[in-house]
Amino acid sequence: MKTSRTALAMMAVLALAGCGNDKAPVASDQQSDKSPLAEYMGDGFVSSSGGGFKMAVRAGGARQPSEEDLAKQRKVEDATAACMKTAGFEYVAVPPEQNAKSKFSEAFNLPPDKFAEQYGYGISTIDWSKAGGDDDSNPNTKIRSALSTAAQKAYDKALNGPNATGNGAIVIEGGKDGPSSSGQQELGCRGKAIKEVYGQDRGMDFKKFESLFKDIQALQKRIDTDQRVVDATSAWADCMADAGHSGFTKVDDPREQIQQKLDTLTGNKPPAKSGPSKTITGPPSFDKVDSAKLSELRKSEIALAVADQKCKASGYDDAYKKVQYAAEKEFVEQHKAELEAYRDETANR
């Protein structure tokens, strides 16, 4: 599979944030169009009130692959199968056209209010550890499932490298400056196949965009402290209190509250916001979570998300977007050369 601009944008977000993040992806967002800055930063790059940026995962958000893309993906699959055979494992090359859509594709395309009614924020209501790994139509899922536990671990290591997890996620260790830019992670047969088809240098050095990232962080602070956004946030907090959800001061607080409660249930420990290393891992499984407590959390999440969405829609969204787009437009004009350099580099990955 080709290294996507969305994936690179995600790495850029982590470089911006300066810390790892084990939270579930953002399944739905009030902004379906691209902001001035998102035009340069890649698919799914969304300004997040509350101090930072996030990736909005939407099923229809990325461009459709070209015939050239598909041809290369077929070559990657063939090369992966050959490598796995050499390693002593069976692997069936799956044509990219046969890849099933995510089981949550329809959910991702729901309007924000409908999504909130059914899935809340998509945190405790969706087991992200199984979002892409339970495709019964994929012959390799059946092949792996037939193996013993020990053989499955060996299979995962051969396919995706020593940092792979059972659901296909890969743990990536980075340094204090964010994601590793060496491009030398051991990614098993799949990684070797990608290098073989797309070339050796698939990495991207984010350090040369460090100044740009810092300027974007400063831009976000300016947006958040704009008096119009401050007033809109206060009105949103009052609306939430009237709906029975008091105590929130930042619009990201409700989502984070649900995430923290889920972390407590799953025993997941997000990495500290400061420290010598950062880790990006796949989301925790719900398999061993108390079902009654999870059910209660899901009900709480949906109720909170519905109120949150209504309160944002009542005025906050429009106010924030107006400030954001104006500020980003000015930022783009002032940093156009750097943004074009970033966009061009990610486009070639």
Side-chain angles (χ1 to χ4, degrees), residues 1 65 70 73-74 77 91-102 105 132 135 137-140 190:
M1 59 181 179
L70 293 173
Q73 289 173 30
R74 294 185 198 104
E77 282 292 299
Y91 180 90
V92 178
V94 180
E97 299 91 336
Q98 293 183 17
N99 286 336
K101 291 183 179 179
S102 164
S105 292
D135 179 14
S137 68
N138 188 326
N140 297 304
R190 196 186 302 280

Side-chain angles (χ1 to χ4, degrees), residues 29-31 35 45-49 52-54 220 223 320 324 328:
D29 197 89
Q30 73 265 20
Q31 300 176 43
S35 72
F45 187 88
V46 178
S47 175
S48 172
S49 52
F53 293 85
K54 63 188 176 185
Q220 183 63 54
I223 294 173
Y320 183 85
Q324 175 204 352
E328 288 191 9

